[in-house]
Amino acid sequence: MKRFFDKTLGRWTRHFFFVLVRSYYALFYNVSVSGKHLLQAQPGTLILATHVSRHDGPLIAAMLYSTARVRPTVHWDEFHNKAQWFPMYVSGAIALSSPKSWEAERRAARKTKVLKIIGKVLRNGNSVLLFPAGKIRRQPEEIIAPHLSGVRDILAAHPDTPVMTLHIDGLGQFQPAQHDKFWSFLGRQKGRRHVQLTLTPVTDLDPKEDLAAFNADLERRLNG
C-alpha cells in the first residue's frame, strides 16, 4: 500500500514541488550541470557532494529530478524536526546517525537498518545524495571529520555501488559570485547568480582503508 501511494500521490506531489522549486532557481539562479548524462546512464549511484550553502539539497534535487530520482540523506535531528517533516517525506529523505543518548547496541542496530535501506534504494535504481562533511562549510575548503564513517560504511556494505562526486561552485559564501543581467529591466544591477554543478565518476575509493585515511582521500577529492 505504501508503495502504491508513493507511485501515485507521492509522484504527483514530487512533480508539483519540482515545478515550484525548479521555477524558483530558474528565476534567481543561472544553474548549469555538467556530467548529468553520466548519472542517467548509471542508476543507483552514491552521490558525494560538497556542502556550501543551505540551498544545496533542494538545488541538487531540482536540477537532477528529470534525470534520476535522488534520495537525500540527512542527520537524525534534522529528519525528526517536526517543522521539516513534510519536505523530508516528499523527498524520501533517509535519516543517518542516531541520538548519542542511545545505548551502543541500539545505535549499532540502527546503523545496520539504515545500510539495508540505502542498499534497497540503490538496487531500485534510485541515487542517494550524501554530504560527506556533514554540515555547511564555515571555511573555504571541505573538512571531513576523521570519525565520520557514513561513506565508508555504505561502500563497505555495498561495494558494487557506483560513486560520483558533485562539486558546487559559485554558491557558497567563500566562492566568487557572478551574476547575469536577467533582472536589469527592473533596474537591478545584479541578476541571477551563476552556479555550476559538476558530476564526476569515482572508481577507486577503497572502503578497506583506515577510516581517517579514507576520509582524508575523500576530502582531497572534494576540494580538488
Side-chain angles (χ1 to χ4, degrees), residues 2-224:
K2 184 177 180 180
R3 180 174 297 181
F4 171 77
F5 279 112
D6 181 68
K7 290 185 175 181
T8 53
L9 182 60
R11 178 175 293 179
W12 300 333
T13 304
R14 286 193 296 273
H15 274 290
F16 174 72
F17 278 94
F18 161 71
V19 172
L20 291 182
V21 175
R22 187 68 177 263
S23 297
Y24 170 81
Y25 285 113
L27 285 173
F28 298 105
Y29 296 87
N30 187 356
V31 184
S32 57
V33 184
S34 175
K36 186 161 64 171
H37 65 290
L38 300 175
L39 179 63
Q40 190 170 22
Q42 187 173 273
T45 297
L46 178 63
I47 302 172
L48 307 176
T50 56
H51 204 354
V52 301
S53 79
R54 59 183 177 82
H55 288 279
D56 297 346
L59 174 65
I60 293 171
M63 293 302 110
L64 299 182
Y65 180 82
S66 57
T67 302
R69 185 178 180 188
V70 177
R71 298 277 298 272
T73 58
V74 297
H75 191 272
W76 173 273
D77 294 335
E78 186 176 356
F79 182 85
H80 289 279
N81 184 332
K82 293 181 180 180
Q84 299 187 128
W85 174 84
F86 188 68
M88 292 293 172
Y89 183 78
V90 171
S91 64
I94 302 170
L96 295 182
S97 187
S98 56
K100 293 182 179 180
S101 59
W102 285 9
E103 297 178 353
E105 293 80 5
R106 188 180 180 188
R107 298 195 72 186
R110 170 64 189 171
K111 176 183 285 190
T112 299
K113 180 179 179 180
V114 171
L115 290 174
K116 288 182 179 179
I117 292 172
I118 290 175
K120 183 177 180 180
V121 169
L122 294 169
R123 287 193 300 274
N124 287 339
N126 297 321
S127 292
V128 173
L129 172 65
L130 191 149
F131 298 103
K135 58 184 178 181
I136 298 173
R137 66 170 70 163
R138 303 301 180 191
Q139 64 289 319
E141 303 84 16
E142 294 285 312
I143 296 179
I144 304 175
H147 69 276
L148 294 179
S149 62
V151 178
R152 194 184 70 157
D153 290 340
I154 292 171
L155 294 181
H158 311 288
D160 296 328
T161 300
V163 180
M164 300 184 81
T165 57
L166 192 157
H167 289 81
I168 304 173
D169 297 301
L171 187 60
Q173 70 174 106
F174 296 101
Q175 298 177 336
Q178 296 182 341
H179 299 79
D180 59 25
K181 301 296 182 181
F182 186 80
W183 293 107
S184 59
F185 67 95
L186 294 178
R188 290 189 58 177
Q189 295 300 315
K190 293 183 179 180
R192 299 175 301 176
R193 184 167 178 169
H194 291 281
V195 179
Q196 172 71 38
L197 306 183
T198 305
L199 285 156
T200 306
V202 176
T203 59
D204 55 351
L205 277 176
D206 185 5
K208 296 179 182 178
E209 276 191 307
D210 170 78
L211 179 57
F214 179 89
N215 283 347
D217 180 29
L218 180 55
E219 185 180 288
R220 176 183 58 81
R221 296 169 190 267
L222 292 175
N223 288 315

